[in-house]
Amino acid sequence: MNKTLNTILESSKIFTQEGNVATYIPELSKANPNNLGICVVALDGKEYYSGDYDKKFTMQSISKIITLMLALMDNGEEKVFSYVGAEPTGDSFNSIANLEVKNIHKPYNPMINAGAIMTTSLIIGQTIEEKIGRILDFTRKLSNNNDISIDQNTYFSEKETGDRNRSLAYFMKSYNSMQGKVDDILEIYFQQCSIEVSCIDLARIGAVLANDGVLPWSGERVISKHICRITKTIMVTCGLYDASGEFAIHIGIPAKSGVGGGILGAVPKEMGIGVFGPSLDAKGNSIAGIQMMQKLSKKLNLNIF
Ligand code: GLN
């Protein structure tokens, strides 16, 4: 497997020269576009990797699956989906259009920014610190990595430049569709996006999802099978925003991307995958990361369809 990953990584390096690193969050513009890493965690707990697999980057939108699962565990399916929908948008991840024109009460799904801000608002806790602490602890548990923490520079950078997210949140608040204090909810959202991970962490989280909520390394159940199924389904339909359809056709793996350059994949009953390449396409997805996922899917016949 390591040999396969090396071959895939080497043949994808050329794609790191395409696209651009994210710049709308200034801290992300410091990323090195030449970085490229991949890790696979099999359901027997064995780990395989290549390239910059241990290089750290921020989760960004990949954190949206963490908060979706936590919100579902805290509130149940019915309540969560009374606040946020489960339909793909075909629009960019930070679009505000649908909120006003189509459905003012509910953001379309929990993988776009508006929907993720809504799910974050549903996390239970007395204080901001308690809520972000629960998100961090859950991420640490799913990645078997107690060192996971928030990159303060990215967090401040997000906070300083997060006016689009503020607009989305105030818009939802203005229609009373979101409860709680906007500033507090965004504080948590900016911090969750700034959680630092490596490809190994992503692949382990993917492996837990692939294993229906049981930690492959200990046998402990941490998420119900039902919540894992909902999460993987939403990853298929909305995980790469308005590129989800094409990704499903060519790769066919439930996945979630982030503008930090990471993509997390969960192949049911098979493996978790973490890839990293910070150069992004116009839709905010890692170009070389998608290439590596596509080659891996073809080589190992991972397409679930
Ligand atoms: N923190 C980013 C934002 O809110 C996350 C977006 C993403 O990864 N697509 O804009």
Side-chain angles (χ1 to χ4, degrees):
M1 178 72 98
N2 278 331
K3 217 173 134 214
T4 302
L5 296 186
N6 282 335
T7 311
I8 287 173
L9 186 118
E10 284 305 321
S11 63
S12 303
K13 273 192 176 156
I14 184 166
F15 294 100
T16 61
Q17 305 310 308
E18 291 180 17
N20 292 297
V21 302
T23 51
Y24 75 99
I25 298 169
E27 193 62 25
L28 296 182
S29 67
K30 296 180 183 164
N32 177 356
N34 298 318
N35 283 154
L36 196 61
I38 183 166
C39 175
V40 163
V41 174
L43 297 198
D44 59 5
K46 287 210 180 89
E47 304 188 342
Y48 308 90
Y49 19 74
S50 181
D52 300 311
Y53 65 89
D54 58 355
K55 173 107 191 145
K56 287 185 180 167
F57 52 93
T58 51
M59 279 187 118
Q60 297 299 330
S61 280
I62 302 170
S63 68
K64 292 168 179 171
I65 60 174
I66 302 285
T67 45
L68 171 63
M69 292 190 281
L70 209 50
L72 284 165
M73 287 157 82
D74 279 356
N75 304 279
E77 183 182 349
E78 205 179 319
K79 179 164 175 191
V80 169
F81 289 109
S82 69
Y83 284 90
V84 59
E87 301 302 336
T89 62
D91 295 315
S92 64
F93 64 81
N94 56 4
S95 172
I96 200 164
N98 283 329
L99 279 181
E100 183 173 41
V101 181
K102 293 194 190 143
N103 190 346
I104 50 178
H105 302 300
K106 255 196 204 185
Y108 261 58
N109 69 68
M111 302 290 110
I112 52 169
N113 288 11
I117 292 166
M118 186 65 97
T119 36
T120 295
S121 79
L122 297 170
I123 305 286
I124 285 177
Q126 295 297 320
T127 58
I128 298 174
E129 290 70 32
E130 188 185 342
K131 291 178 192 181
I132 187 69
R134 291 189 62 229
I135 295 168
L136 264 176
D137 283 346
F138 190 43
T139 311
R140 288 175 182 144
K141 184 93 188 167
L142 297 181
S143 59
N144 200 20
N145 180 0
N146 280 328
D147 294 333
I148 283 196
S149 57
I150 290 162
D151 175 44
Q152 294 298 321
N153 291 336
T154 306
Y155 157 57
F156 288 127
S157 192
E158 297 238 3
K159 194 170 165 164
E160 226 168 78
T161 56
D163 289 332
R164 176 71 69 96
N165 289 322
R166 284 187 190 93
S167 310
L168 294 167
Y170 277 109
F171 197 90
M172 293 189 287
K173 183 78 185 167
S174 76
Y175 281 99
N176 268 335
S177 49
M178 187 172 72
Q179 270 142 41
K181 237 179 108 204
V182 166
D183 283 347
D184 292 359
I185 296 162
L186 285 171
E187 188 69 21
I188 301 163
Y189 176 77
F190 294 141
Q191 292 195 45
Q192 76 181 56
C193 288
S194 307
I195 295 175
E196 259 193 332
V197 289
S198 69
C199 291
I200 308 177
D201 301 313
L202 294 186
R204 288 186 188 160
I205 299 168
V208 179
L209 277 162
N211 205 27
D212 291 332
V214 174
L215 304 180
W217 44 90
S218 69
E220 183 189 353
R221 172 168 294 285
V222 287
I223 314 163
S224 74
K225 192 173 173 176
H226 186 62
I227 288 179
C228 282
R229 178 182 288 162
I230 294 174
T231 307
K232 281 180 283 192
T233 311
I234 292 185
M235 286 162 75
V236 168
T237 54
C238 313
L240 275 84
Y241 330 106
D242 45 338
S244 302
E246 243 186 87
F247 190 87
I249 289 175
H250 297 303
I251 294 149
I253 295 174
K256 182 73 204 86
S257 61
V259 289
I263 305 177
L264 177 155
V267 187
K269 314 272 188 285
E270 299 251 11
M271 64 179 70
I273 304 167
V275 297
F276 168 56
S279 208
L280 310 177
D281 62 21
K283 294 181 175 178
N285 298 316
S286 168
I287 295 183
I290 290 181
Q291 287 296 326
M292 289 196 292
M293 298 274 293
Q294 184 161 348
K295 288 173 200 209
L296 190 67
S297 175
K298 282 220 168 88
K299 172 89 187 159
L300 303 180
N301 204 10
L302 303 176
N303 192 319
I304 64 169
F305 303 106

Short mmCIF file of all heavy atoms in Angstrom, two decimals, residues 70-121:
data_model
loop_
_atom_site.label_atom_id
_atom_site.label_comp_id
_atom_site.label_asym_id
_atom_site.label_seq_id
_atom_site.Cartn_x
_atom_site.Cartn_y
_atom_site.Cartn_z
N LEU A 70 -21.72 16.14 16.18
CA LEU A 70 -21.93 16.54 17.58
C LEU A 70 -23.34 17.12 17.77
O LEU A 70 -24.03 16.80 18.75
CB LEU A 70 -20.86 17.57 17.96
CG LEU A 70 -20.41 17.65 19.41
CD1 LEU A 70 -20.04 16.30 19.99
CD2 LEU A 70 -19.22 18.61 19.54
N ALA A 71 -23.77 17.95 16.82
CA ALA A 71 -25.11 18.53 16.92
C ALA A 71 -26.17 17.44 16.87
O ALA A 71 -27.18 17.49 17.60
CB ALA A 71 -25.33 19.55 15.79
N LEU A 72 -25.95 16.43 16.03
CA LEU A 72 -26.91 15.32 15.95
C LEU A 72 -26.92 14.52 17.25
O LEU A 72 -27.99 14.11 17.74
CB LEU A 72 -26.56 14.40 14.77
CG LEU A 72 -26.92 14.93 13.37
CD1 LEU A 72 -26.22 14.13 12.29
CD2 LEU A 72 -28.44 14.91 13.15
N MET A 73 -25.75 14.31 17.82
CA MET A 73 -25.69 13.58 19.09
C MET A 73 -26.33 14.39 20.22
O MET A 73 -26.98 13.84 21.09
CB MET A 73 -24.22 13.25 19.43
CG MET A 73 -23.64 12.16 18.55
SD MET A 73 -21.84 12.21 18.44
CE MET A 73 -21.38 11.39 19.92
N ASP A 74 -26.17 15.70 20.18
CA ASP A 74 -26.70 16.57 21.24
C ASP A 74 -28.22 16.75 21.14
O ASP A 74 -28.90 16.89 22.15
CB ASP A 74 -26.07 17.97 21.13
CG ASP A 74 -24.68 18.03 21.75
OD1 ASP A 74 -24.24 17.02 22.32
OD2 ASP A 74 -24.03 19.09 21.65
N ASN A 75 -28.74 16.81 19.91
CA ASN A 75 -30.14 17.25 19.73
C ASN A 75 -31.05 16.24 19.05
O ASN A 75 -32.27 16.42 19.05
CB ASN A 75 -30.17 18.51 18.85
CG ASN A 75 -29.32 19.63 19.41
OD1 ASN A 75 -29.74 20.34 20.31
ND2 ASN A 75 -28.11 19.77 18.89
N GLY A 76 -30.47 15.23 18.40
CA GLY A 76 -31.29 14.30 17.62
C GLY A 76 -31.52 14.82 16.21
O GLY A 76 -31.42 16.02 15.94
N GLU A 77 -31.85 13.87 15.34
CA GLU A 77 -32.00 14.16 13.91
C GLU A 77 -33.11 15.17 13.63
O GLU A 77 -32.96 16.11 12.86
CB GLU A 77 -32.28 12.82 13.21
CG GLU A 77 -32.39 12.88 11.73
CD GLU A 77 -32.72 11.51 11.14
OE1 GLU A 77 -32.65 10.48 11.87
OE2 GLU A 77 -33.06 11.46 9.95
N GLU A 78 -34.24 14.94 14.28
CA GLU A 78 -35.43 15.75 13.97
C GLU A 78 -35.18 17.23 14.24
O GLU A 78 -35.47 18.09 13.40
CB GLU A 78 -36.61 15.25 14.81
CG GLU A 78 -37.93 15.57 14.17
CD GLU A 78 -39.07 15.03 15.03
OE1 GLU A 78 -38.97 13.90 15.57
OE2 GLU A 78 -40.04 15.77 15.17
N LYS A 79 -34.60 17.51 15.41
CA LYS A 79 -34.36 18.92 15.76
C LYS A 79 -33.34 19.54 14.82
O LYS A 79 -33.55 20.65 14.31
CB LYS A 79 -33.91 19.03 17.22
CG LYS A 79 -33.62 20.45 17.62
CD LYS A 79 -33.55 20.67 19.10
CE LYS A 79 -33.12 22.11 19.38
NZ LYS A 79 -32.79 22.35 20.77
N VAL A 80 -32.21 18.84 14.60
CA VAL A 80 -31.16 19.42 13.75
C VAL A 80 -31.72 19.75 12.37
O VAL A 80 -31.52 20.86 11.85
CB VAL A 80 -29.95 18.46 13.63
CG1 VAL A 80 -28.98 18.94 12.55
CG2 VAL A 80 -29.23 18.34 14.98
N PHE A 81 -32.48 18.82 11.78
CA PHE A 81 -32.96 19.07 10.42
C PHE A 81 -34.22 19.94 10.38
O PHE A 81 -34.76 20.21 9.31
CB PHE A 81 -33.13 17.75 9.66
CG PHE A 81 -31.78 17.14 9.33
CD1 PHE A 81 -31.33 16.00 9.99
CD2 PHE A 81 -30.94 17.76 8.42
CE1 PHE A 81 -30.07 15.47 9.72
CE2 PHE A 81 -29.67 17.25 8.14
CZ PHE A 81 -29.25 16.10 8.79
N SER A 82 -34.65 20.40 11.56
CA SER A 82 -35.67 21.45 11.53
C SER A 82 -34.98 22.82 11.40
O SER A 82 -35.60 23.81 11.04
CB SER A 82 -36.56 21.40 12.78
OG SER A 82 -35.83 21.78 13.91
N TYR A 83 -33.66 22.86 11.70
CA TYR A 83 -32.90 24.12 11.58
C TYR A 83 -32.09 24.22 10.29
O TYR A 83 -31.78 25.31 9.83
CB TYR A 83 -31.94 24.27 12.77
CG TYR A 83 -32.61 24.68 14.05
CD1 TYR A 83 -33.11 23.74 14.94
CD2 TYR A 83 -32.75 26.03 14.37
CE1 TYR A 83 -33.73 24.12 16.13
CE2 TYR A 83 -33.36 26.44 15.56
CZ TYR A 83 -33.85 25.47 16.42
OH TYR A 83 -34.46 25.86 17.58
N VAL A 84 -31.68 23.06 9.78
CA VAL A 84 -30.84 23.07 8.58
C VAL A 84 -31.31 21.96 7.64
O VAL A 84 -31.73 20.89 8.10
CB VAL A 84 -29.34 22.91 8.97
CG1 VAL A 84 -29.07 21.63 9.72
CG2 VAL A 84 -28.42 22.99 7.75
N GLY A 85 -31.25 22.22 6.31
CA GLY A 85 -31.73 21.24 5.34
C GLY A 85 -30.69 20.17 5.04
O GLY A 85 -29.63 20.10 5.67
N ALA A 86 -31.02 19.34 4.05
CA ALA A 86 -30.11 18.26 3.65
C ALA A 86 -30.05 18.18 2.13
O ALA A 86 -29.91 17.11 1.56
CB ALA A 86 -30.57 16.94 4.25
N GLU A 87 -30.17 19.34 1.48
CA GLU A 87 -30.17 19.36 0.01
C GLU A 87 -28.96 20.11 -0.54
O GLU A 87 -28.60 21.16 -0.02
CB GLU A 87 -31.44 20.06 -0.50
CG GLU A 87 -32.74 19.41 -0.05
CD GLU A 87 -32.88 17.95 -0.45
OE1 GLU A 87 -32.23 17.53 -1.43
OE2 GLU A 87 -33.62 17.22 0.21
N PRO A 88 -28.35 19.59 -1.61
CA PRO A 88 -27.24 20.30 -2.24
C PRO A 88 -27.69 21.64 -2.83
O PRO A 88 -28.89 21.80 -3.13
CB PRO A 88 -26.78 19.36 -3.35
CG PRO A 88 -27.76 18.27 -3.45
CD PRO A 88 -28.65 18.30 -2.25
N THR A 89 -26.77 22.59 -2.96
CA THR A 89 -27.19 23.91 -3.44
C THR A 89 -26.79 24.17 -4.89
O THR A 89 -27.46 24.91 -5.59
CB THR A 89 -26.54 25.05 -2.63
OG1 THR A 89 -25.12 24.96 -2.79
CG2 THR A 89 -26.91 24.97 -1.18
N GLY A 90 -25.65 23.64 -5.33
CA GLY A 90 -25.13 24.04 -6.64
C GLY A 90 -24.53 25.43 -6.62
O GLY A 90 -24.18 25.99 -7.65
N ASP A 91 -24.40 26.00 -5.40
CA ASP A 91 -23.78 27.33 -5.27
C ASP A 91 -22.50 27.22 -4.46
O ASP A 91 -22.24 26.20 -3.84
CB ASP A 91 -24.74 28.30 -4.55
CG ASP A 91 -25.99 28.56 -5.35
OD1 ASP A 91 -25.87 28.79 -6.57
OD2 ASP A 91 -27.08 28.50 -4.77
N SER A 92 -21.73 28.31 -4.43
CA SER A 92 -20.46 28.28 -3.72
C SER A 92 -20.70 28.16 -2.21
O SER A 92 -21.79 28.46 -1.71
CB SER A 92 -19.65 29.53 -4.03
OG SER A 92 -20.35 30.65 -3.56
N PHE A 93 -19.65 27.76 -1.47
CA PHE A 93 -19.82 27.45 -0.04
C PHE A 93 -20.20 28.65 0.81
O PHE A 93 -20.80 28.50 1.86
CB PHE A 93 -18.54 26.77 0.51
CG PHE A 93 -17.30 27.65 0.48
CD1 PHE A 93 -17.08 28.61 1.46
CD2 PHE A 93 -16.35 27.49 -0.51
CE1 PHE A 93 -15.93 29.40 1.43
CE2 PHE A 93 -15.19 28.27 -0.54
CZ PHE A 93 -14.99 29.22 0.43
N ASN A 94 -19.86 29.86 0.33
CA ASN A 94 -20.19 31.03 1.16
C ASN A 94 -21.31 31.89 0.57
O ASN A 94 -21.46 33.04 0.91
CB ASN A 94 -18.94 31.87 1.43
CG ASN A 94 -18.28 32.31 0.14
OD1 ASN A 94 -18.79 32.05 -0.95
ND2 ASN A 94 -17.14 32.99 0.26
N SER A 95 -22.09 31.28 -0.31
CA SER A 95 -23.16 32.04 -0.98
C SER A 95 -24.27 32.43 0.01
O SER A 95 -24.64 31.67 0.90
CB SER A 95 -23.75 31.19 -2.10
OG SER A 95 -24.89 31.83 -2.62
N ILE A 96 -24.78 33.64 -0.20
CA ILE A 96 -25.87 34.13 0.67
C ILE A 96 -27.20 34.08 -0.09
O ILE A 96 -28.28 34.22 0.50
CB ILE A 96 -25.55 35.58 1.15
CG1 ILE A 96 -26.36 35.94 2.40
CG2 ILE A 96 -25.71 36.59 0.03
CD1 ILE A 96 -25.82 37.16 3.13
N ALA A 97 -27.15 33.87 -1.41
CA ALA A 97 -28.32 34.03 -2.28
C ALA A 97 -29.52 33.19 -1.84
O ALA A 97 -30.63 33.71 -1.69
CB ALA A 97 -27.94 33.69 -3.71
N ASN A 98 -29.29 31.90 -1.60
CA ASN A 98 -30.42 31.02 -1.29
C ASN A 98 -31.16 31.41 -0.02
O ASN A 98 -32.36 31.20 0.10
CB ASN A 98 -29.94 29.57 -1.13
CG ASN A 98 -29.67 28.96 -2.48
OD1 ASN A 98 -30.31 29.31 -3.46
ND2 ASN A 98 -28.71 28.05 -2.54
N LEU A 99 -30.41 31.96 0.93
CA LEU A 99 -31.03 32.30 2.21
C LEU A 99 -32.16 33.28 2.01
O LEU A 99 -33.22 33.17 2.63
CB LEU A 99 -30.00 32.92 3.16
CG LEU A 99 -29.08 31.96 3.92
CD1 LEU A 99 -28.15 32.77 4.81
CD2 LEU A 99 -29.87 30.96 4.74
N GLU A 100 -31.95 34.23 1.10
CA GLU A 100 -32.99 35.23 0.89
C GLU A 100 -34.00 34.78 -0.17
O GLU A 100 -35.19 34.80 0.05
CB GLU A 100 -32.41 36.57 0.48
CG GLU A 100 -33.53 37.59 0.35
CD GLU A 100 -33.04 38.99 0.10
OE1 GLU A 100 -32.08 39.15 -0.68
OE2 GLU A 100 -33.61 39.91 0.67
N VAL A 101 -33.48 34.33 -1.30
CA VAL A 101 -34.36 34.13 -2.46
C VAL A 101 -35.21 32.86 -2.31
O VAL A 101 -36.38 32.86 -2.63
CB VAL A 101 -33.53 34.07 -3.75
CG1 VAL A 101 -34.43 33.88 -4.96
CG2 VAL A 101 -32.72 35.35 -3.90
N LYS A 102 -34.59 31.78 -1.83
CA LYS A 102 -35.32 30.51 -1.88
C LYS A 102 -35.94 30.09 -0.54
O LYS A 102 -37.06 29.69 -0.46
CB LYS A 102 -34.40 29.41 -2.40
CG LYS A 102 -34.02 29.65 -3.85
CD LYS A 102 -33.41 28.42 -4.46
CE LYS A 102 -32.82 28.77 -5.82
NZ LYS A 102 -31.59 28.04 -6.08
N ASN A 103 -35.14 30.12 0.51
CA ASN A 103 -35.65 29.57 1.76
C ASN A 103 -35.05 30.32 2.94
O ASN A 103 -33.99 29.97 3.43
CB ASN A 103 -35.31 28.08 1.84
CG ASN A 103 -36.03 27.41 2.99
OD1 ASN A 103 -36.56 28.09 3.88
ND2 ASN A 103 -36.06 26.10 2.99
N ILE A 104 -35.74 31.34 3.37
CA ILE A 104 -35.15 32.22 4.37
C ILE A 104 -35.03 31.58 5.75
O ILE A 104 -34.28 32.04 6.58
CB ILE A 104 -35.95 33.53 4.50
CG1 ILE A 104 -37.43 33.24 4.68
CG2 ILE A 104 -35.69 34.44 3.33
CD1 ILE A 104 -38.28 34.48 4.86
N HIS A 105 -35.77 30.52 5.97
CA HIS A 105 -35.76 29.96 7.32
C HIS A 105 -34.62 29.00 7.55
O HIS A 105 -34.16 28.83 8.66
CB HIS A 105 -37.08 29.25 7.61
CG HIS A 105 -38.25 30.16 7.46
ND1 HIS A 105 -38.37 31.29 8.22
CD2 HIS A 105 -39.31 30.14 6.62
CE1 HIS A 105 -39.47 31.93 7.86
NE2 HIS A 105 -40.05 31.26 6.88
N LYS A 106 -34.19 28.34 6.50
CA LYS A 106 -33.26 27.23 6.68
C LYS A 106 -32.14 27.29 5.66
O LYS A 106 -32.41 27.35 4.46
CB LYS A 106 -34.02 25.95 6.37
CG LYS A 106 -34.42 25.11 7.52
CD LYS A 106 -34.78 23.76 6.94
CE LYS A 106 -35.72 22.98 7.82
NZ LYS A 106 -35.95 21.66 7.29
N PRO A 107 -30.88 27.24 6.12
CA PRO A 107 -29.82 27.05 5.12
C PRO A 107 -29.96 25.67 4.48
O PRO A 107 -30.47 24.75 5.11
CB PRO A 107 -28.53 27.17 5.93
CG PRO A 107 -28.91 27.08 7.36
CD PRO A 107 -30.37 27.34 7.49
N TYR A 108 -29.51 25.53 3.24
CA TYR A 108 -29.77 24.31 2.48
C TYR A 108 -29.18 23.05 3.07
O TYR A 108 -29.80 22.00 3.05
CB TYR A 108 -29.29 24.49 1.03
CG TYR A 108 -30.43 24.83 0.11
CD1 TYR A 108 -31.20 25.96 0.35
CD2 TYR A 108 -30.73 24.04 -0.98
CE1 TYR A 108 -32.26 26.28 -0.49
CE2 TYR A 108 -31.79 24.35 -1.82
CZ TYR A 108 -32.55 25.47 -1.56
OH TYR A 108 -33.60 25.79 -2.38
N ASN A 109 -27.93 23.12 3.56
CA ASN A 109 -27.30 21.91 4.11
C ASN A 109 -26.16 22.30 5.06
O ASN A 109 -25.70 23.43 5.05
CB ASN A 109 -26.81 21.00 2.96
CG ASN A 109 -25.64 21.60 2.22
OD1 ASN A 109 -24.55 21.73 2.78
ND2 ASN A 109 -25.85 22.00 0.96
N PRO A 110 -25.72 21.35 5.88
CA PRO A 110 -24.72 21.69 6.92
C PRO A 110 -23.28 21.78 6.41
O PRO A 110 -22.37 22.00 7.19
CB PRO A 110 -24.83 20.51 7.91
CG PRO A 110 -25.86 19.59 7.39
CD PRO A 110 -26.17 19.95 5.99
N MET A 111 -23.05 21.63 5.10
CA MET A 111 -21.68 21.67 4.56
C MET A 111 -21.33 23.03 3.96
O MET A 111 -20.18 23.31 3.69
CB MET A 111 -21.49 20.57 3.50
CG MET A 111 -21.75 19.16 3.99
SD MET A 111 -20.53 18.53 5.16
CE MET A 111 -21.46 18.47 6.69
N ILE A 112 -22.34 23.86 3.70
CA ILE A 112 -22.06 25.24 3.28
C ILE A 112 -21.92 26.09 4.55
O ILE A 112 -22.37 25.68 5.63
CB ILE A 112 -23.17 25.81 2.37
CG1 ILE A 112 -24.56 25.63 3.01
CG2 ILE A 112 -23.12 25.16 0.99
CD1 ILE A 112 -25.67 26.39 2.32
N ASN A 113 -21.31 27.27 4.43
CA ASN A 113 -21.04 28.05 5.64
C ASN A 113 -22.29 28.38 6.45
O ASN A 113 -22.30 28.23 7.67
CB ASN A 113 -20.31 29.34 5.27
CG ASN A 113 -18.87 29.08 4.85
OD1 ASN A 113 -18.49 27.94 4.64
ND2 ASN A 113 -18.09 30.13 4.72
N ALA A 114 -23.37 28.81 5.77
CA ALA A 114 -24.58 29.17 6.51
C ALA A 114 -25.10 27.98 7.32
O ALA A 114 -25.44 28.11 8.51
CB ALA A 114 -25.66 29.65 5.54
N GLY A 115 -25.11 26.82 6.70
CA GLY A 115 -25.61 25.61 7.38
C GLY A 115 -24.71 25.19 8.52
O GLY A 115 -25.18 24.73 9.57
N ALA A 116 -23.40 25.36 8.32
CA ALA A 116 -22.45 24.96 9.37
C ALA A 116 -22.55 25.91 10.56
O ALA A 116 -22.46 25.48 11.72
CB ALA A 116 -21.04 24.94 8.81
N ILE A 117 -22.76 27.20 10.28
CA ILE A 117 -22.92 28.16 11.38
C ILE A 117 -24.18 27.77 12.17
O ILE A 117 -24.21 27.81 13.40
CB ILE A 117 -22.99 29.61 10.83
CG1 ILE A 117 -21.61 29.99 10.25
CG2 ILE A 117 -23.43 30.59 11.90
CD1 ILE A 117 -21.61 31.24 9.38
N MET A 118 -25.21 27.33 11.45
CA MET A 118 -26.44 26.89 12.11
C MET A 118 -26.17 25.65 12.97
O MET A 118 -26.60 25.59 14.14
CB MET A 118 -27.51 26.58 11.06
CG MET A 118 -28.86 26.27 11.62
SD MET A 118 -29.57 27.68 12.47
CE MET A 118 -30.63 28.34 11.18
N THR A 119 -25.48 24.64 12.46
CA THR A 119 -25.23 23.44 13.28
C THR A 119 -24.36 23.79 14.49
O THR A 119 -24.59 23.28 15.58
CB THR A 119 -24.57 22.28 12.49
OG1 THR A 119 -23.66 22.78 11.55
CG2 THR A 119 -25.56 21.41 11.79
N THR A 120 -23.41 24.69 14.27
CA THR A 120 -22.57 25.11 15.41
C THR A 120 -23.43 25.74 16.50
O THR A 120 -23.18 25.54 17.69
CB THR A 120 -21.47 26.09 14.92
OG1 THR A 120 -20.61 25.38 14.04
CG2 THR A 120 -20.66 26.66 16.07
N SER A 121 -24.46 26.48 16.09
CA SER A 121 -25.34 27.13 17.07
C SER A 121 -26.10 26.11 17.92
O SER A 121 -26.65 26.44 18.97
CB SER A 121 -26.33 28.07 16.37
OG SER A 121 -27.41 27.33 15.80
#
